[in-house]
């Protein structure tokens, strides 16, 4: 599979493995609308290749991904402009998440540093996650005056269980890789310097299995675990547009910029 001229990600296919690297290290691999569109396109291209049995997703630089790029003008339609544009701006994240979740091949996320918000969600929808010791998951949406969208809330709940999902999404505190290893979210936690090598070992183990039954089992487990995900999350795009137009959201953004605690009023 040749290069496709992506600007925000790198896609390399070697034999039976496709490797996607988030390639915006200067901004912590923040998820711009353009990057998310490239991810969805790359997933479609990979899915069209029957010879790809496994997919590795990594981030270039210090962090896996610091989440949605709030500086991206296309994503700011959630707070400004017509409602129809706001709803469409949210959908770009949905399309990326669904594209990765529905890949036929077995997917592995190798997480170093922070995986924030949608970045944590991107790791969450992979079949396996392996972490460097520096890895942390942070879902700050509620603290920033918004809901968790992109269809991720029921998926987090299925992967983590309701109690831990509530803790992570409502309290908005970073959770270490070591703790997430204990609940089965991470397959393995290793030293940061060993992350690439351990990810390759996991890919090799996946490739030792026959692809057809492995892919069938993946599809069946996902259908069982996430059966109600779409039904439960079908309104989260509208919830996102709503929360982005509240006074509490404006206060959360001002407090974030000014490095102070927000004062919410429920407006």
């Amino acid at each position: 599979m040749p290069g496709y001229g992506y600007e925000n990600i790198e896609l390399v296919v070697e034999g039976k493995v496709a490797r996607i690297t988030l390639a915006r290290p200067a901004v912590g691999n923040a998820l711009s609308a353009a990057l998310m569109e490239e991810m969805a396109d790359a997933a479609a291209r990979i899915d069209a290749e029957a010879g790809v049995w496994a997919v590795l997703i990594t981030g270039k630089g210090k962090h896996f991904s610091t989440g949605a790029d709030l500086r991206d003008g296309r994503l700011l339609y959630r707070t400004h402009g017509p409602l129809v544009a706001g709803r469409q701006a949210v959908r770009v994240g949905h399309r990326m998440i669904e594209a990765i979740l529905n890949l036929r091949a077995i997917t592995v996320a190798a997480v170093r540093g922070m995986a924030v918000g949608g970045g944590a969600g991107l790791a969450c929808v992979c079949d396996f996650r392996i972490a460097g010791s520096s890895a942390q998951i942070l879902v700050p949406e509620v603290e920033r005056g918004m809901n968790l969208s992109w269809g991720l809330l029921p998926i987090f709940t299925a992967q983590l269980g309701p109690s831990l999902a509530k803790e992570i999404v409502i309290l908005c505190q970073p959770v270490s890789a070591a703790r997430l290893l204990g609940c089965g979210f991470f397959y393995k936690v290793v030293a940061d310097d060993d992350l690439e090598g351990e990810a390759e070992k996991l890919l090799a183990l996946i490739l030792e299995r026959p692809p057809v039954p492995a892919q069938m089992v993946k599809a069946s487990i996902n259908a069982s675990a996430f059966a109600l995900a779409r039904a439960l999350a079908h309104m989260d795009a509208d919830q996102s547009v709503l929360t982005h137009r509240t006074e509490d959201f404006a206060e959360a953004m001002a407090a974030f910029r000014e490095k102070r605690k927000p004062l919410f009023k429920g407006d």
Side-chain angles (χ1 to χ4, degrees), residues 138-146 169-173 248 252-253 262 264:
L138 172 64
V139 181
E141 274 76 356
V142 168
E143 185 178 35
R144 295 181 184 172
M146 65 185 89
V169 179
I170 295 175
L171 299 185
C172 308
Q173 297 294 305
D248 277 350
M253 291 297 98
F264 295 126

Side-chain angles (χ1 to χ4, degrees), residues 78 87 196 224 248 250:
R78 292 180 293 182
R87 298 181 81 237
E196 286 80 5
S224 175
D248 277 350

Side-chain angles (χ1 to χ4, degrees), residues 141-259:
E141 274 76 356
V142 168
E143 185 178 35
R144 295 181 184 172
M146 65 185 89
N147 71 317
L148 178 62
S149 59
W150 299 0
L152 288 171
L153 189 57
I155 294 174
F156 269 107
T157 303
Q159 298 280 42
L160 296 165
S163 294
L164 186 53
K166 288 176 184 176
E167 176 187 333
I168 290 174
V169 179
I170 295 175
L171 299 185
C172 308
Q173 297 294 305
V175 180
S176 70
R179 184 175 177 203
L180 291 168
L181 175 67
C183 72
F185 184 78
F186 282 119
Y187 166 78
K188 185 178 289 188
V189 176
V190 300
D192 280 358
D193 290 343
D194 296 333
L195 182 59
E196 286 80 5
E198 291 295 329
E200 292 300 322
K201 290 179 183 178
L202 177 55
L203 290 170
L205 189 61
I206 291 168
L207 296 182
E208 289 177 359
R209 304 300 182 259
V212 173
Q215 292 168 14
M216 287 178 173
V217 167
K218 167 181 174 166
S220 295
I221 290 175
N222 282 359
S224 175
F226 309 137
L228 295 176
R230 179 164 294 182
L232 293 172
H234 78 286
M235 291 295 289
D236 75 8
D238 294 316
Q239 292 168 356
S240 180
V241 173
L242 171 64
T243 58
H244 277 76
R245 297 181 185 226
T246 63
E247 291 184 15
D248 277 350
F249 175 76
E251 166 64 10
M253 291 297 98
F256 179 73
R257 290 190 298 268
E258 296 164 11
K259 302 184 185 303

Side-chain angles (χ1 to χ4, degrees), residues 68-83:
D69 189 347
L70 298 179
R71 296 159 297 187
D72 186 343
R74 289 177 60 189
L75 298 182
L76 289 177
Y77 275 119
R78 292 180 293 182
T79 53
H80 301 88
L83 287 173

Side-chain angles (χ1 to χ4, degrees), residues 9-30:
I9 67 172
E10 297 171 0
L11 171 61
V12 177
V13 175
E14 299 173 334
K16 299 172 181 176
V17 178
R19 292 176 169 83
I20 302 174
T21 304
L22 309 181
R24 301 184 73 209
V27 291
N29 299 316

Side-chain angles (χ1 to χ4, degrees), residues 94-142:
H94 279 263
R95 288 192 291 272
M96 176 189 71
I97 292 298
E98 289 177 2
I100 300 302
L101 178 64
N102 294 325
L103 273 168
R104 171 183 42 79
I106 309 302
T107 53
V108 176
V111 181
R112 177 187 286 106
M114 298 302 300
V116 179
L122 180 59
C124 190
V125 297
C126 288
D127 302 311
F128 296 93
R129 290 155 296 279
I130 187 167
S133 57
S134 68
Q136 296 184 79
I137 297 293
L138 172 64
V139 181
E141 274 76 356
V142 168

